[in-house]
Amino acid sequence: MVVEHVEYREVIHPPVVESMTGQMRTENLSVFYDKTRQALFDVTLEMPARSITALIGPSGCGKSTFIRALNRMNEVIPGTVTTGRVYLDDIQIYDKRVDVVLLRRLVGMVFQRPNPFPRSIWENIAYGPRLAGIRKRSELDRIVEESLRKAALWDEVKDRLHESALGLSGGQQQRLCIARALAVNPRVLLLDEPAAALDPIATGRIEELLLQLKEELTIVIVTHNLQQAGRIADRTAFFLLGRLIEVGPTARIFENPGDERTEAYVTGRFG
């Protein structure tokens, strides 16, 4: 019997990356912790390219678990089991051939509390591109400036690039973390309550920034702030007890929800 030789090839490679739109979707996504405690139940959800999808729901309803599943961050938790499918464009990201490091560059993440590295502002932004193999100083300088401009931070820090990032305000640190994610040219940006620890002025700047970034990126944001979801999200998904209850255009979810549980949550009767 003759066995045909099939050349091994990574699922995500440069031509594919170049053509990616950043659309994401899940099909029957379930996540178990310690193989016994189920955090998500068969979630099927589309997150359109170049738009903002907000995930809302009470604490412990599975929002953060869901968003971490979109770039396989749950895998760092021992004993976690994920079933179902998650697609970035047409690529099933849990395919064993997917390079997880590359995936997390394409699907970047910003957490609730700013977590800049204890290094200079410049080094924070240049870190990812350096890991990707970029060594030329002029190219790194270009990426640093471009990323900080996209994060609406350049004018505030351009004369402080070699000072510690820890000297920035909380809102500036969060925008720095967004700039750090942008420096590796992602297609999707995931944000887990990025403004929860910020004052209203800093929150407003983050929201303005996200509205600008959606022209280029797919954005998925977890928020407990219903007003924030109403201000910036194109679509809103309501989670409860690990299940996706309802999803649709944000105005409809808030003004005319189709499920009484959604209505009870958005009108403040629980949560």
Side-chain angles (χ1 to χ4, degrees):
M1 181 177 67
V2 177
V3 178
E4 182 181 357
H5 173 70
V6 178
E7 182 181 357
Y8 177 79
R9 190 177 189 186
E10 291 287 355
V11 173
I12 302 177
H13 46 84
V16 168
V17 171
E18 189 66 27
S19 63
M20 277 182 176
T21 67
Q23 178 178 352
M24 296 203 77
R25 73 183 191 276
T26 67
E27 295 179 357
N28 300 314
L29 175 67
S30 295
V31 177
F32 302 79
Y33 292 124
D34 299 323
K35 299 182 181 180
T36 55
R37 183 166 63 88
Q38 190 165 358
L40 285 180
F41 296 80
D42 298 315
V43 176
T44 296
L45 176 62
E46 292 190 9
M47 292 146 280
R50 296 182 180 89
S51 68
I52 299 177
T53 300
L55 312 181
I56 64 171
S59 296
C61 68
K63 305 184 301 295
S64 293
T65 297
F66 177 82
I67 204 171
R68 289 197 304 266
L70 300 182
N71 70 349
R72 296 176 56 170
M73 283 292 293
N74 289 322
E75 291 184 355
V76 304
I77 304 173
T80 301
V81 174
T82 301
T83 63
R85 293 175 178 267
V86 180
Y87 290 93
L88 172 60
D89 282 20
D90 292 323
I91 295 171
Q92 210 287 86
I93 70 168
Y94 284 85
D95 187 309
K96 293 180 179 179
R97 294 171 295 168
V98 168
D99 181 335
V100 178
V101 174
L102 176 55
L103 171 69
R104 291 176 185 158
R105 282 170 46 198
L106 293 170
V107 185
M109 189 164 219
V110 176
F111 298 94
Q112 178 175 339
R113 294 195 175 276
N115 59 343
F117 302 142
R119 303 180 179 184
S120 72
I121 294 168
W122 189 94
E123 289 171 326
N124 265 267
I125 307 302
Y127 181 81
R130 279 175 161 170
L131 283 182
I134 298 174
R135 294 287 182 267
K136 192 174 181 180
R137 179 59 184 242
S138 61
E139 179 66 6
L140 290 170
D141 284 340
R142 182 193 66 77
I143 292 171
V144 168
E145 179 175 348
E146 183 177 279
S147 301
L148 289 169
R149 285 189 182 279
K150 286 182 178 179
L153 192 58
W154 173 254
D155 289 338
E156 298 172 41
V157 302
K158 62 183 178 182
D159 298 321
R160 305 166 55 190
L161 294 179
H162 300 291
E163 296 179 15
S164 173
L166 301 181
L168 298 174
S169 69
Q172 289 175 324
Q173 287 186 13
Q174 194 64 298
R175 281 182 285 150
L176 178 71
C177 292
I178 292 173
R180 189 173 65 196
L182 296 176
V184 292
N185 196 27
R187 296 298 185 271
V188 181
L189 186 62
L190 311 175
L191 303 107
D192 194 352
E193 296 194 67
L198 304 182
D199 61 60
I201 293 175
T203 296
R205 288 176 177 165
I206 295 292
E207 291 177 3
E208 290 174 6
L209 170 59
L210 297 181
L211 288 170
Q212 294 171 10
L213 290 176
K214 80 168 185 176
E215 301 299 322
E216 303 177 23
L217 301 172
T218 303
I219 296 174
V220 185
I221 179 171
V222 170
T223 180
H224 275 107
N225 186 331
L226 298 185
Q227 290 77 21
Q228 181 175 76
R231 286 191 295 265
I232 68 172
D234 300 288
R235 287 165 56 83
T236 295
F238 172 57
F239 283 73
L240 183 64
L241 299 176
R243 301 182 187 276
L244 175 62
I245 304 301
E246 187 171 1
V247 61
T250 296
R252 184 184 67 75
I253 292 294
F254 282 97
E255 297 169 11
N256 188 30
D259 189 288
E260 61 183 12
R261 293 166 293 181
T262 309
E263 182 179 13
Y265 182 73
V266 300
T267 56
R269 295 207 297 274
F270 79 95

